[in-house]
Amino acid sequence: MGLATAVTWICTAIAGVYLLYLWLSGGGLRQQAAKVTRFPVTLVFSHPVLAAAALGCWFGYLVTGAEALAWTAFGVLAASALLGFALFTRWLGGGRHARGAERRFPVLAVALHGLGGVITFALALVTAALTGH
């Protein structure tokens, strides 16, 4: 189950990298000074940095089997998920009046990234809970 979690995590990350690319190529960083975007740069970059750190801990868990690494990965993933939820609600709040780079996000990409995140979160929780048994 740990490997399945890693696979869903990586697929989710690929969709997230695509969304980050769209945001950056759409001028997301340039729009920070003008307050045109609903996505603060700290929020935009904290979400993937935490997710990548958690994935690193998860790979450490897969290599060593250390229960502490599984729970650390899950905890950091939970923080990343909260930030991701904040991004999602800000994106939804923009609706058809969205301004800034985030208005270019395809609904399918956002949905796949969010669904993958929920599945990864659930798999990581179940795997970490079963690690001690």
Side-chain angles (χ1 to χ4, degrees), residues 1-118:
M1 191 179 288
L3 189 57
T5 303
V7 169
T8 60
W9 206 320
I10 291 167
C11 291
T12 302
I14 290 169
V17 167
Y18 174 66
L19 292 171
L20 182 60
Y21 165 77
L22 289 177
W23 187 78
L24 289 170
S25 66
L29 286 176
R30 290 188 306 274
Q31 294 169 350
Q32 294 296 308
K35 303 283 186 201
V36 177
T37 180
R38 294 178 179 263
F39 286 30
V41 71
T42 306
L43 182 59
V44 169
F45 287 108
S46 296
H47 172 62
V49 165
L50 285 174
L55 182 58
C57 290
W58 193 260
F59 282 134
Y61 156 69
L62 290 177
V63 170
T64 65
E67 183 178 4
L69 281 174
W71 282 112
T72 301
F74 176 74
V76 177
L77 177 62
S80 177
L82 287 173
L83 294 177
F85 186 73
L87 286 167
F88 178 67
T89 56
R90 284 172 175 258
W91 177 74
L92 277 181
R96 64 187 177 101
H97 303 293
R99 304 175 319 178
E102 59 272 12
R103 76 171 180 258
R104 298 178 58 210
F105 291 167
V107 173
L108 182 60
V110 173
L112 288 175
H113 182 65
L115 181 62
V118 169

